[in-house]
Amino acid sequence: AQSVTQLDSQVPVFEEAPVELRCNYSSSVSVYLFWYVQYPNQGLQLLLKYLSGSTLVESINGFEAEFNKSQTSFHLRKPSVHISDTAEYFCAVRSSTNAGKSTFGDGTTLTVKP
Amino acid sequence: DGGITQSPKYLFRKEGQNVTLSCEQNLNHDAMYWYRQDPGQGLRLIYYSQIVNDFQKGDIAEGYSVSREKKESFPLTVTSAQKNPTAFYLCASSSFGDTQYFGPGTRLTVL
């Protein structure tokens, strides 16, 4: 069995401030890790993913996440946020041996204030 | 344009009715998935299919049914046995083991 815990349900932050959205997971097998973003009344869009290799992964819009196996974490960070980053963010884990079973966290609502 | 589409965007159902949500993809993906999203909660897996004519139950399959007769299509039927069907439903597809791509969602409301 696998599970995902997003430690903060809401994160308010001022524009141009740094932000960290925290994600911890548990699994008995090796996993792939994902961050998705969801804007109101829309589907989810992939932000970044860790499958293997470098533990630091980056997205094209300035977000990054670091896979920490010893702490079973995959926290999402951005050094300077914009108003347009306001959205809900989901962390997800998938077993590397069963592609059908992804588990999602409950989501973190990021609100960027001017 | 490659992508995944869901219809309708909004759906209203009377109690006791079955309704079917459409999901179509032209990404040539083998795997397709249905999730349910409730306010303040993450996505919960209803059903998934890794190949045509085969599908598996997810974590909350009771009250739902699916079919996978074509690679491109994975319709979800919400039956009258589903006691609390009001939710946002998301369909996704992927190549085996790779990233899931999501449709825009269908919001189902029971009147």
Side-chain angles (χ1 to χ4, degrees):
Chain A
Q2 58 198 26
S3 66
V4 177
T5 302
Q6 291 185 241
L7 296 163
D8 307 290
S9 60
Q10 308 228 9
V11 174
V13 64
F14 286 105
E15 193 173 19
E16 297 184 5
V19 71
E20 178 180 77
L21 307 183
R22 297 179 294 168
C23 173
N24 287 348
Y25 71 93
S26 68
S27 176
S28 56
V29 299
S30 61
V31 296
Y32 302 142
L33 294 156
F34 305 82
W35 274 101
Y36 289 87
V37 59
Q38 184 181 35
Y39 299 100
N41 294 311
Q42 295 186 24
L44 276 67
Q45 303 170 34
L46 178 71
L47 198 56
L48 45 76
K49 63 184 177 183
Y50 170 79
L51 302 180
S52 64
S54 172
T55 56
L56 183 66
V57 290
E58 299 176 353
S59 72
I60 58 173
N61 57 355
F63 283 95
E64 65 178 30
E66 185 160 20
F67 170 54
N68 188 319
K69 189 174 181 179
S70 62
Q71 297 186 9
T72 60
S73 68
F74 191 54
H75 300 332
L76 181 69
R77 301 183 182 95
K78 189 170 185 179
S80 175
V81 293
H82 303 289
I83 298 287
S84 59
D85 292 323
T86 295
E88 189 150 22
Y89 292 79
F90 291 94
C91 181
V93 60
R94 171 187 286 183
S95 163
S96 61
T97 58
N98 184 346
K101 298 287 283 182
S102 288
T103 301
F104 286 78
D106 288 342
T108 296
T109 301
L110 173 64
T111 303
V112 181
K113 299 180 285 186
Chain B
D1 242 350
I4 180 165
T5 58
Q6 293 184 240
S7 62
K9 187 171 177 64
Y10 298 97
L11 185 57
F12 298 92
R13 188 193 95 169
K14 294 182 181 178
E15 292 210 18
Q17 280 185 336
N18 292 354
V19 290
T20 297
L21 284 59
S22 169
C23 177
E24 304 274 335
Q25 55 98 2
N26 61 4
L27 300 168
N28 200 33
H29 286 164
D30 291 306
M32 297 187 74
Y33 313 82
W34 274 106
Y35 292 92
R36 171 181 171 139
Q37 185 179 24
D38 293 285
Q41 297 187 35
L43 279 66
R44 292 182 289 169
L45 183 64
I46 304 172
Y47 269 98
Y48 65 102
S49 167
Q50 297 188 4
I51 56 171
V52 174
N53 292 323
D54 187 46
F55 48 83
Q56 288 79 41
K57 292 182 178 180
D59 300 318
I60 56 164
E62 185 176 350
Y64 299 97
S65 66
V66 293
S67 63
R68 186 85 187 278
E69 297 176 2
K70 298 187 299 182
K71 187 176 184 178
E72 301 80 18
S73 178
F74 191 41
L76 173 74
T77 297
V78 184
T79 75
S80 57
Q82 171 49 236
K83 297 306 177 189
N84 184 22
T86 294
F88 191 49
Y89 290 87
L90 287 162
C91 179
S93 69
S94 74
S95 294
F96 186 81
D98 205 340
T99 306
Q100 293 184 6
Y101 291 85
F102 285 81
T106 292
R107 188 166 298 281
L108 173 63
T109 303
V110 173
L111 302 174

